[in-house]
Amino acid sequence: MHLQIMKSKYLKLIKLTVSCIFILTGQLVFSQHTATTHPVKKSESNYLSINYFQSLFDSLGWDRSEGYSTRNNQTAFGWAESIHLESLLNMYEATKDVKYLQTLILCIGNTIDRRDDERYKIGLDSIVNNRGISGPFWSTSHYNAKGDTSAPKSHLIHSANIVYSFARLASTIKLDSSLQDLIVQKGRYKNLDFDSLANVLINEAGKTIQAHDFQWKRRGYYKHQSSRKELPFNYQASAGKVILHLYLASKDEYYYDKLIALSERIKKKYLTYNPGLDCYEWNYSRYQEGTDISHGGLSSSFAYECYKYRISFQGEPVFSQIDMLRFSNTFMKKIYDSPWVLNDGMNNDAEAFDFKNSDPFITGNIGNTIRWIQFSEFNEEVYQIIAELYSSSHLARLKPFRPSAFELSQLELYAPEWIPVCSNKSFSDSSDWQNMAICSLINSNQDDVFAYKKVKQELYKFNLSSNNRTLNHHLIDSNLNWNNFDAFYSKVDSCIVFYSLMESNNNQYLIKYKLQNDSLYASDTLANFGQNKKWKGIKSGPLVQSDITDIIMVNEKADSILIFNNSIQSPKQLKVTEFTNNAQVVDFECKDIDTDSLYDLIFLVKENSTYKFMIYTISDSLEAKLYAQFEDTINTFTNLTCLNNPKSNPPIIAAINKESGNINFYEMAQTSISLLSTIEFEPQQTNGSIMVSGNIIRNFKNDEIILLKGKDGKSSVSVYSASRPLIIK
């Protein structure tokens, strides 16, 4: 057999005014066995740049933090410092920024300085474990059955967790020749080149994992130190990941043989296939039924890495894409219950965590879900469900709650093109949201969102806090019998104005309001017009003159399109000729599509079973000309919005797919429309939603998507951003 490792290497070319470009390159040939990396799925859209979660990670100082690596208490290393090290590796893999490796290497040096047999060199007492050995461990009595009063023990799970990042960094360097001549800047390994460092790390991680060989059984598992019982699944998985990377870095058959034996044992003895749900199920150990979210995620991460690096035996992958789909189904069908509700494990009687509850115990379990996000590569819904937990405003307000370095790094590493960044779930009722508008004051650096509740006749304003973590809201006015509205900043009135459509006693009214000091004042009214018209909404924008904002109203049949510009009392009719008699307007938008500084009309039209996107340009004489159209005979859509593009290209069209719950994005190329990408949602996340777009995140230039969701007694407002928005300094 022939081993060929294809290393997917992303070289990030960063300019603040252009997008990221990822280049696939690099190859390293070994002998005998085949292993090829699957690159983590990343966005390649041509209008996105600096990473959202990277900016949050760095703003919290994690890119420079030494974490727990300088602690003298060994208890901190097995679970806390180990994931800090892993987070820095994740950030490097996601961004290719070497600064994360430099911090990682500093922390690894600190960690080795505090190993049982190295501590004396920095003036600390050496540690002798329960077997009378001071060796390559970080021994602690904290997790012993008798607690801290017993002799320190060298637990396999702690050893594996800690040296995993040693081994993974070594394999990262060995598989990427562009890293090998770089020089370590500080710490234990200062002035050493990266290739030499990799050799050191292979040796150090190897010493630790081999020191547990007395627990290894040829049948492919590690046993307890004092009995013949197999250690739990997550112990085996953690050790397996170290062995995997030591093999990739060293090409040593000693590690390959163990890796194959361990992977076969896990697949045959630990995993149970559920054909009804097409998913895997497993227990915490062979002696304890059930497993929780946290241990389940750690256990499954070994299988994921075997797949990612294409570890194979006799020409067949030990874990295939089919296996990965089954793991993703485990999350979707056994753990996921409904939006914001997860079962703590895959047992039928597992406790359900309702994360809308701000109880510290409940919110403390959010971090337990984060390893499952790796399977979003095979089902993007996994990412959206988990990431939405981190976007909650009510959690952001809790002082103990903030994402850890590891959580942010996972969110960054597996981020699709669009991610939830903030949400407000303060409304306990379904709230019967009618519609939304988005606009800002002329001197503001972010938009505000205005949302109207029909039954309670209330208008709310939403805006983000200065740290972009909390979506605040407050009541603007009530007793507003509106059917629809739009809002924009009026230079003439020097304030935000609202145009609302309402009905009373079979009469229809268009009313203009001024918003001053967060209070509404009616200033103009047009009564008794367009009777018996099913109006689809109100939009605003400069259709004819760039310095005058027009008000546009469209009815369901599009046989009545009213344009108000200089006066609310003098509407003008706009005619479109391409609509058939059975065509119905589902939604419409007003945006500058052909980049001539004047807005155009974008219609989402249903014609029999076909949905069409139809774009019209408007002449000075108010004549509508069909500019472009796109037909979809497969999907059904419910909502339409257009997002500004920071590269000054035509806006991007977004529409909610009614059947799948996904949001489709379409881009313009001259006069043609084509599908750009899709955000995958579990249908309950978007059913019944209203969608608008605008720039509400401070210092980010691109538009965000705002989803107003109110269904089945659950209501929320959520903000979704491009995962790699362009930051304006």
Side-chain angles (χ1 to χ4, degrees):
M1 287 176 287
H2 183 66
L3 171 74
Q4 185 179 35
I5 293 191
M6 299 292 297
K7 172 61 179 171
S8 174
K9 182 177 67 176
Y10 293 114
L11 302 177
K12 189 174 185 182
L13 308 178
I14 301 180
K15 289 186 179 180
L16 289 179
T17 56
V18 297
S19 315
C20 299
I21 302 173
F22 296 109
I23 302 174
L24 187 65
T25 185
Q27 177 173 301
L28 179 64
V29 179
F30 292 165
S31 60
Q32 294 188 348
H33 312 292
T34 299
T36 305
T37 62
H38 288 278
V40 174
K41 183 174 64 176
K42 304 298 287 184
S43 165
E44 296 181 358
S45 290
N46 63 0
Y47 65 96
L48 305 178
S49 188
I50 307 299
N51 305 1
Y52 175 82
F53 284 118
Q54 180 187 14
S55 67
L56 184 53
F57 186 96
D58 292 356
S59 72
L60 294 172
W62 293 119
D63 59 326
R64 305 176 304 279
S65 173
E66 296 180 53
Y68 298 87
S69 69
T70 57
R71 297 283 183 93
N72 297 327
N73 183 345
Q74 305 298 75
T75 305
F77 289 93
W79 292 107
E81 180 55 23
S82 61
I83 61 171
H84 173 243
L85 300 177
E86 190 175 348
S87 72
L88 291 164
L89 263 171
N90 285 348
M91 292 304 295
Y92 170 73
E93 184 175 335
T95 68
K96 298 307 175 191
D97 192 330
V98 178
K99 72 176 182 180
Y100 299 109
L101 295 187
Q102 292 288 358
T103 302
L104 169 66
I105 294 164
L106 174 63
C107 294
I108 287 176
N110 294 340
T111 301
I112 292 178
D113 284 344
R114 287 155 180 80
R115 201 172 64 187
D116 290 1
D117 58 347
E118 291 283 318
R119 289 164 55 91
Y120 75 93
K121 295 179 182 179
I122 60 171
L124 300 174
D125 292 337
S126 296
I127 293 178
V128 177
N129 67 16
N130 63 318
R131 299 173 59 238
I133 298 172
S134 180
F137 312 109
W138 292 261
S139 303
T140 176
S141 53
H142 183 68
Y143 296 95
N144 295 355
K146 295 183 180 180
D148 294 336
T149 60
S150 56
K153 192 172 182 180
S154 308
H155 297 275
L156 173 66
I157 186 68
H158 298 155
S159 295
N161 286 348
I162 294 165
V163 302
Y164 165 72
S165 293
F166 301 10
R168 182 174 155 196
L169 176 57
S171 70
T172 297
I173 294 170
K174 289 297 185 180
L175 298 177
D176 186 348
S177 59
S178 71
L179 291 174
Q180 293 167 8
D181 293 332
L182 298 180
I183 303 298
V184 178
Q185 294 175 354
K186 53 186 176 180
R188 179 184 176 109
Y189 300 112
K190 183 178 180 180
N191 296 327
L192 198 65
D193 65 81
F194 274 33
D195 190 47
S196 299
L197 172 68
N199 294 330
V200 171
L201 295 178
I202 291 169
N203 181 58
E204 298 293 0
K207 282 194 297 186
T208 297
I209 206 69
Q210 290 178 41
H212 288 277
D213 274 357
F214 74 98
Q215 296 176 257
W216 174 255
K217 305 298 289 184
R218 289 185 181 180
R219 283 176 289 179
Y221 66 90
Y222 285 91
K223 71 175 189 66
H224 284 267
Q225 292 187 19
S226 57
S227 74
R228 294 183 179 182
K229 286 187 175 182
E230 288 185 47
L231 285 168
F233 188 0
N234 65 302
Y235 283 63
Q236 314 288 349
S238 293
K241 292 194 297 181
V242 178
I243 293 167
L244 184 156
H245 284 285
L246 284 173
Y247 166 63
L248 293 178
S250 69
K251 304 166 293 203
D252 192 329
E253 293 295 310
Y254 165 84
Y255 295 118
Y256 178 78
D257 292 342
K258 276 192 173 181
L259 178 60
I260 296 304
L262 186 58
S263 61
E264 290 186 334
R265 178 81 174 184
I266 286 173
K267 198 164 187 179
K268 292 179 180 178
K269 298 295 185 179
Y270 283 88
L271 299 178
T272 300
Y273 176 59
N274 181 329
L277 298 179
D278 190 25
C279 72
Y280 281 129
E281 299 171 359
W282 60 91
N283 295 317
Y284 174 73
S285 72
R286 298 193 69 195
Y287 318 102
Q288 180 177 332
E289 290 188 359
T291 190
D292 55 51
I293 301 176
S294 180
H295 290 100
L298 182 58
S299 299
S300 60
S301 64
F302 170 68
Y304 171 77
E305 293 212 22
C306 285
Y307 168 81
K308 178 179 177 180
Y309 293 97
R310 288 189 181 176
I311 301 301
S312 64
F313 178 64
Q314 296 181 347
E316 295 294 328
V318 294
F319 286 98
S320 66
Q321 186 172 4
I322 292 175
D323 295 314
M324 298 301 103
L325 291 170
R326 289 173 179 173
F327 279 113
S328 67
N329 285 343
T330 301
F331 182 85
M332 292 301 303
K333 298 179 180 180
K334 299 292 291 186
I335 294 174
Y336 175 71
D337 180 273
S338 59
W340 284 71
V341 179
L342 299 178
N343 297 314
D344 184 26
M346 56 196 75
N347 305 36
N348 293 330
D349 59 349
E351 181 180 3
F353 291 144
D354 184 346
F355 289 101
K356 295 187 298 299
N357 183 344
S358 59
D359 178 87
F361 172 75
I362 299 294
T363 57
N365 283 279
I366 285 182
N368 295 342
T369 68
I370 199 64
R371 284 199 183 272
W372 289 92
I373 211 166
Q374 62 202 353
F375 296 113
S376 63
E377 183 177 343
F378 314 97
N379 185 342
E380 192 177 310
E381 293 174 16
V382 175
Y383 188 97
Q384 299 298 343
I385 289 167
I386 295 174
E388 191 173 36
L389 301 179
Y390 289 88
S391 72
S392 166
S393 291
H394 82 267
L395 296 182
R397 292 190 184 99
L398 298 177
K399 292 188 182 298
F401 178 81
R402 76 168 185 173
S404 69
F406 181 66
E407 291 166 314
L408 287 175
S409 73
Q410 290 281 98
L411 290 165
E412 171 62 28
L413 181 58
Y414 298 102
E417 290 188 359
W418 290 86
I419 55 178
V421 297
C422 196
S423 62
N424 185 308
K425 298 183 180 295
S426 301
F427 299 93
S428 59
D429 59 0
S430 61
S431 298
D432 68 295
W433 297 106
Q434 182 78 3
N435 70 316
M436 281 191 294
I438 186 164
C439 63
S440 66
L441 295 173
I442 195 167
N443 59 349
S444 175
N445 66 349
Q446 68 175 146
D447 289 336
D448 294 326
V449 179
F450 297 92
Y452 176 67
K453 298 199 299 184
K454 176 65 175 175
V455 172
K456 294 188 176 181
Q457 300 182 340
E458 295 173 335
L459 178 68
Y460 284 86
K461 181 171 80 171
F462 296 83
N463 53 26
L464 279 175
S465 61
S466 58
N467 65 0
N468 297 330
R469 291 293 319 283
T470 305
L471 189 60
N472 303 311
H473 76 276
H474 68 270
L475 179 67
I476 293 290
D477 211 335
S478 57
N479 298 318
L480 301 168
N481 187 21
W482 293 0
N483 286 344
N484 231 306
F485 76 95
D486 198 18
F488 62 91
Y489 180 81
S490 168
K491 293 181 181 179
V492 175
D493 299 293
S494 299
C495 66
I496 292 176
V497 297
F498 287 76
Y499 283 83
S500 65
L501 177 65
M502 61 175 287
E503 293 184 17
S504 178
N505 298 322
N506 295 321
N507 292 321
Q508 294 186 333
Y509 300 86
L510 180 64
I511 305 177
K512 175 183 176 181
Y513 292 86
K514 295 180 181 180
L515 180 65
Q516 296 174 330
N517 298 320
D518 274 353
S519 295
L520 285 178
Y521 301 92
S523 66
D524 201 358
T525 301
L526 174 65
N528 298 333
F529 74 98
Q531 291 182 326
N532 301 319
K533 300 288 188 182
K534 294 182 179 180
W535 298 103
K536 294 304 297 182
I538 304 174
K539 302 293 180 182
S540 59
L543 285 180
V544 181
Q545 293 179 240
S546 59
D547 59 343
I548 296 179
T549 300
D550 300 301
I551 310 301
I552 305 100
M553 292 178 55
V554 177
N555 77 327
E556 187 177 69
K557 300 298 292 182
D559 56 7
S560 182
I561 301 176
L562 300 182
I563 310 294
F564 305 84
N565 43 38
N566 293 324
S567 171
I568 193 174
Q569 302 296 332
S570 305
K572 298 180 180 179
Q573 283 279 355
L574 178 71
K575 292 291 185 181
V576 292
T577 57
E578 285 78 14
F579 283 65
T580 62
N581 290 333
N582 56 355
Q584 293 182 329
V585 177
V586 177
D587 200 1
F588 77 102
E589 183 61 278
C590 187
K591 214 79 165 185
D592 181 13
I593 293 292
D594 57 1
T595 64
D596 63 354
S597 299
L598 294 175
Y599 277 27
D600 309 295
L601 290 178
I602 305 97
F603 294 98
L604 172 59
V605 178
K606 180 183 179 183
E607 189 174 298
N608 297 323
S609 59
T610 299
Y611 283 78
K612 296 181 178 180
F613 298 95
M614 305 178 72
I615 300 174
Y616 288 86
T617 58
I618 311 300
S619 69
D620 294 347
S621 57
L622 291 181
E623 293 181 356
K625 179 181 179 181
L626 184 63
Y627 179 74
Q629 68 175 331
F630 176 83
E631 293 188 3
D632 192 320
T633 58
I634 300 175
N635 299 300
T636 60
F637 298 98
T638 61
N639 203 196
L640 173 77
T641 191
C642 292
L643 295 84
N644 285 323
N645 186 326
K647 287 188 67 179
S648 298
N649 291 330
I652 294 161
I653 301 171
I656 297 177
N657 188 316
K658 183 178 180 180
E659 301 299 327
S660 68
N662 298 337
I663 297 178
N664 288 359
F665 294 88
Y666 300 87
E667 65 177 347
M668 291 288 303
Q670 296 180 344
T671 59
S672 65
I673 305 172
S674 59
L675 181 65
L676 174 67
S677 61
T678 299
I679 307 181
E680 295 180 10
F681 285 96
E682 197 277 331
Q684 290 186 70
Q685 290 182 287
T686 56
N687 282 351
S689 294
I690 302 169
M691 177 175 62
V692 297
S693 59
N695 186 201
I696 73 169
I697 296 184
R698 299 174 191 268
N699 303 322
F700 283 68
K701 186 178 178 182
N702 66 288
D703 278 359
E704 289 78 44
I705 286 176
I706 300 92
L707 277 182
L708 189 61
K709 298 181 272 188
K711 187 179 179 183
D712 301 330
K714 299 174 183 178
S715 177
S716 67
V717 180
S718 298
V719 179
Y720 292 82
S721 175
S723 56
R724 287 149 188 82
L726 185 66
I727 296 177
I728 304 300
K729 296 294 186 182

